[in-house]
Amino acid sequence: MPKAKDSGSARQIPVSFVIQYSPKEIASRVAELGEEIGRWCSRVWEESHTDVLVVPVLRGGVFFFADLARQIPDSVEIVPVRTEAYEATVSGVKKEKVTVHSDGLAVKGRVVLIVDDVCDSGRTLEALEKDFLEKGAREVRSVVLIRRLLDKPTFVPCWVGFEYDGLEWFVGYGMDDGERWRNLPGVYVIRREP
């Protein structure tokens, strides 16, 4: 596959990768989100004297989570979670199912912030919120780096870094293309040849 140089480094990336959000744009937006979310975390502490429980969704949300957590001025507790999305056929109708792997995650009475990379349909975030509320969380909010603009979203996060109108696949900054290129510092879209 032909490669192109990553701007500002010697990294060789596929030519089909087109930069969508540069490291500088991401850093600026993450700092703004950290400030907004930090104000909320401060209120939670003042009201309850408990830290917000921050739950990054593995694996794609890890880069965004790490940068965001460092921008929140107050202490937060961190517990990652893993999810799996798959299609199941129920009575002849295909439905997307999301399995939440949150065993041992004590959320009862806690205020929770879910951190993920992308919100497409929103089913993963919806399943996580439902799971945490059923387990007794006092409040659940969510933040994503990118929200894909769809006609009928299932779920809308509380905070969004960027909104994207299109169906291209994202790669970099934690997001992968066939388990590759998660470690790119920016977010790229993959332009498929016609």
Side-chain angles (χ1 to χ4, degrees):
M1 179 180 280
K3 306 271 181 166
K5 257 195 170 177
D6 183 11
S7 60
S9 78
R11 187 186 316 251
Q12 299 290 313
I13 61 168
V15 293
S16 60
F17 290 11
V18 178
I19 191 76
Q20 183 63 40
Y21 306 111
S22 71
K24 187 175 179 179
E25 289 171 307
I26 294 168
S28 174
R29 187 64 185 119
V30 169
E32 291 169 358
L33 288 169
E35 189 177 315
E36 291 173 36
I37 292 168
R39 287 193 294 271
W40 171 67
C41 291
S42 294
R43 283 196 305 274
V44 170
W45 175 258
E46 288 168 13
E47 293 168 6
S48 66
H49 289 286
T50 56
D51 290 340
V52 170
L53 182 62
V54 179
V55 180
V57 180
L58 299 176
R59 292 174 286 187
V62 172
F63 284 54
F64 174 48
F65 153 74
D67 288 344
L68 178 67
R70 288 185 293 231
Q71 294 294 329
I72 297 172
D74 283 285
S75 174
V76 292
E77 187 177 340
I78 300 164
V79 181
V81 71
R82 197 169 48 86
T83 62
E84 293 175 274
Y86 58 94
E87 281 191 354
T89 304
V90 180
S91 302
V93 178
K94 280 190 175 182
K95 290 193 172 185
E96 185 180 348
K97 297 279 187 183
V98 177
T99 302
V100 177
H101 301 280
S102 63
D103 298 337
L105 181 57
V107 297
K108 189 171 183 179
R110 300 295 301 274
V111 174
V112 179
L113 175 66
I114 303 166
V115 181
D116 204 358
D117 53 358
V118 178
C119 177
D120 287 312
S121 68
R123 287 186 182 92
T124 298
L125 293 169
E126 181 182 50
L128 283 165
E129 182 178 274
K130 181 180 178 203
D131 183 69
F132 296 156
L133 290 171
E134 285 174 355
K135 289 178 177 173
R138 195 170 81 230
E139 180 183 359
V140 180
R141 294 193 184 188
S142 55
V143 59
V144 296
L145 179 66
I146 304 167
R147 175 179 170 238
R148 196 181 299 275
L149 298 173
L150 301 175
D151 289 339
K152 296 178 182 177
T154 302
F155 184 93
V156 177
C158 302
W159 290 283
V160 173
F162 303 99
E163 292 187 324
Y164 184 81
D165 191 9
L167 299 175
E168 291 82 9
W169 188 260
F170 296 112
V171 64
Y173 199 66
M175 294 166 270
D176 71 293
D177 179 35
E179 297 303 329
R180 300 195 73 222
W181 299 109
R182 286 187 194 274
N183 57 319
L184 292 173
V187 174
Y188 294 75
V189 292
I190 301 178
R191 303 284 187 206
R192 303 291 184 197
E193 292 181 19

